[in-house]
Amino acid sequence: MPVRPGANIDLDQIEEVLGEEDEQNLADPALETRRRAMAEFDRKQLARSIAVPTNDAQVKETLRSHGHPICLFGEDAGDRRDRLRYVLSKLAIERRNAGNEQRGEAMDEGVEASSSEEEQDEEFYTEGSTALLQARQNIARQSLERARQRIEKQRSDFRVEAATVRRLREELVSKLDTYTIVGSQVGDSRPLSRITFSPDCRQVLVGSWSGAIKLWDVPGCTMSRLYRGHTDRVGGLSFHPRAGRDANTVDFASGGSDNEVFLWSVDKDTPIGNLKGHQSRVVHVEFHPSGEYLGSASYDGSWRLWDIATEQELLLQEGHSREVFALRFQCDGSLVATAGLDGIGRVWDLRSGRSVMELEGHAKEIYGLDWSPNGFQLATGSADNTVRIFDVRKLASVQQIPAHKSIVTDVRFFHSSWAEGGAPKSSQDMDVSGDDEDEAGTHQSRLCNGQYLASASNDGLINIWTAGDWRLQKSLVGHVGKVLSVDIASDGNCIASAGFDKTFKLWAPDDISI
């Protein structure tokens, strides 16, 4: 019927009629071509996140297990890995589509949501085990005592004369400015992914993309032991807090792209324990300050807490929308921070299991984080080339540092070995005059605890920043290409780095013999 201009139109009276031309447009082959192109784009994006074995024999074995020929004419090892990645991505797409169909059928059969209710993302809780409850209670008791000792030390340091603190700060800045390379060694035939100092600072543990873990002496850079267990790249390494002091404890832990978390003794070439549970590559592991628990972060989107004595999984925690890449415990042991490829970090209270803070502000993925020894600040390094400083007291970011010209791969505060000692001396008993070099050095290390931060990047640099003003004090140049990991010795005399150039390097002040 005719419609007057400006008159109201009843949409229910309008018939949806497709003409022959419209039907032809819907069947246009160009639309099908675009659909296939988008599906291929999604497959390639998924393929980039799939971990493929680097060993050619494992690649062939995996291809055979999926019913594909192990070798094609004119194909080399690299082409074989690319073909395996393609096969795995196609299988992942098929599984995802099958899961979507099953969910659709389930909804059609009887799961109908009320159209009047809005969907909301809500926190949910699952009942924990008795072992987890006991672990939370144990962590609460221990963390309270460590927090008391930390606050006592901070109060004692606060009573030190301002002139003394200023002088030590100036000496620290001068010391950082003299850092230079003192050792370099080819660590493996593949890029080196992780490096960490032993508690006594006399050795470094280096992990490689080949799956090998090697123990090297400092400063001679001579290999003392090779550890074999992982079949793919090593993602995480962590020394036990009491490694080498107690013969009855695990000395270090590792995680790899083979989804395994291994426990090791420095005296044995093979693992002495295996923590099973992760469904994808493990990219970070760290011991709890008590040494009784281990945390691990994985590409399966979760982080987990393990009991070292029983090798039992205590907690499987989700909360990130993408892969979890970094995990660090606060020095008291009450909090743990995690971050990942969703560009968001989270602080979790281990005593209650709650997420108590979100680390927001980065524009891209977060690849590294670390807690300051002061217990309330932490740093994050991101693919947006920045380092951010967060304060859990303010529940906010307090500083953004334009740290590098490329991805920030790792960040590390200076954690003084003094912090592991006993009760602090009073300000009247503390001698920082320099008359006794050993005692003065200990006190300087105590007052400089957490006073500088090292960041590593794909731009090939290790940058050193002083805390508080967050100024760049020194750029360490030596790696050819990406720097993937950095660590600072707890005695404050050395920095270690590992890179894509298959080397690890030691850096120290030019006037200090390590």
Side-chain angles (χ1 to χ4, degrees), residues 442-453:
T442 299
H443 294 147
Q444 181 176 13
S445 178
R446 162 183 169 176
L447 292 176
C448 293
N449 187 30
Q451 291 301 305
Y452 61 96
L453 169 77

Side-chain angles (χ1 to χ4, degrees), residues 121-161:
D121 294 332
E122 298 181 355
E123 291 184 348
F124 64 93
Y125 299 90
T126 56
E127 184 175 356
S129 64
T130 303
L132 176 59
L133 175 61
Q134 294 174 350
R136 292 197 191 283
Q137 294 172 341
N138 187 34
I139 289 172
R141 287 191 295 268
Q142 295 179 353
S143 64
L144 286 173
E145 176 60 23
R146 278 191 292 267
R148 184 192 64 78
Q149 294 178 1
R150 172 176 58 84
I151 294 173
E152 184 180 350
K153 294 172 184 177
Q154 291 174 343
R155 287 174 176 170
S156 177
D157 294 343
F158 185 75
R159 293 193 291 269
V160 177
E161 295 180 358

Side-chain angles (χ1 to χ4, degrees), residues 89-393:
S89 65
K90 293 288 286 185
L91 292 174
I93 291 292
E94 292 174 1
R95 286 194 296 267
R96 186 175 66 184
N97 292 339
N100 291 338
E101 291 178 0
Q102 292 175 358
R103 285 192 294 270
E105 293 174 359
M107 292 183 65
D108 292 339
E109 289 176 0
V111 182
E112 297 182 358
S114 174
S115 59
S116 62
E117 296 181 357
E118 297 181 355
E119 293 184 358
Q120 297 181 352
D121 294 332
E122 298 181 355
E123 291 184 348
F124 64 93
Y125 299 90
T126 56
E127 184 175 356
S129 64
T130 303
L132 176 59
L133 175 61
Q134 294 174 350
R136 292 197 191 283
Q137 294 172 341
N138 187 34
I139 289 172
R141 287 191 295 268
Q142 295 179 353
S143 64
L144 286 173
E145 176 60 23
R146 278 191 292 267
R148 184 192 64 78
Q149 294 178 1
R150 172 176 58 84
I151 294 173
E152 184 180 350
K153 294 172 184 177
Q154 291 174 343
R155 287 174 176 170
S156 177
D157 294 343
F158 185 75
R159 293 193 291 269
V160 177
E161 295 180 358
T164 301
V165 174
R166 188 181 306 110
R167 177 175 60 83
L168 291 177
R169 175 84 172 192
E170 292 172 353
E171 291 177 358
L172 172 64
V173 171
S174 299
K175 174 184 174 182
L176 296 177
D177 190 54
T178 63
Y179 265 75
T180 185
I181 189 168
V182 296
S184 180
Q185 181 62 271
V186 176
D188 197 69
S189 59
R190 299 294 309 280
L192 306 182
S193 53
R194 191 69 63 179
I195 189 167
T196 183
F197 277 100
S198 62
D200 61 7
C201 305
R202 297 177 182 177
Q203 294 172 313
V204 289
L205 202 60
V206 181
S208 165
W209 281 17
S210 68
I213 302 173
K214 299 179 181 179
L215 188 65
W216 301 81
D217 294 328
V218 175
C221 294
T222 56
M223 189 179 74
S224 58
R225 191 172 289 273
L226 169 65
Y227 303 95
R228 286 288 188 183
H230 290 288
T231 57
D232 205 343
R233 66 181 65 180
V234 176
L237 285 174
S238 178
F239 267 106
H240 192 281
R242 294 184 295 278
R245 305 179 193 176
D246 188 347
N248 297 323
T249 63
V250 173
D251 289 316
F252 69 93
S254 65
S257 293
D258 51 8
N259 309 351
E260 303 286 0
V261 178
F262 289 135
L263 305 177
W264 304 80
S265 168
V266 293
D267 298 324
K268 295 184 179 180
D269 301 337
T270 55
I272 61 174
N274 187 3
L275 309 179
K276 290 184 174 292
H278 281 294
Q279 302 301 311
S280 189
R281 58 185 291 195
V282 181
V283 289
H284 206 108
V285 296
E286 186 174 62
F287 280 99
H288 186 267
S290 67
E292 299 178 20
Y293 311 103
L294 181 78
S296 59
S298 170
Y299 264 39
D300 62 12
S302 72
W303 66 269
R304 309 190 185 208
L305 186 69
W306 309 84
D307 187 311
I308 298 301
T310 63
E311 298 184 14
Q312 176 186 1
E313 178 187 292
L314 297 175
L315 174 67
L316 188 160
Q317 181 66 63
E318 298 175 326
H320 290 273
S321 60
R322 290 189 61 190
E323 297 88 341
V324 185
F325 203 90
L327 176 147
R328 294 284 187 186
F329 290 103
Q330 185 232 26
C331 56
D332 297 340
S334 58
L335 304 176
V336 61
T338 59
L341 304 191
D342 55 1
I344 299 293
R346 289 184 179 274
V347 178
W348 308 83
D349 189 336
L350 290 173
R351 300 162 297 186
S352 65
R354 293 180 178 271
S355 175
V356 296
M357 180 180 178
E358 288 190 359
L359 310 178
E360 298 181 310
H362 284 295
K364 294 184 179 181
E365 300 89 343
I366 299 176
Y367 289 108
L369 62 82
D370 193 28
W371 285 91
S372 169
N374 62 25
F376 55 83
Q377 287 182 327
L378 67 159
T380 56
S382 169
D384 62 9
N385 308 347
T386 68
V387 171
R388 280 185 176 269
I389 308 299
F390 293 87
D391 193 320
V392 296
R393 301 171 303 178

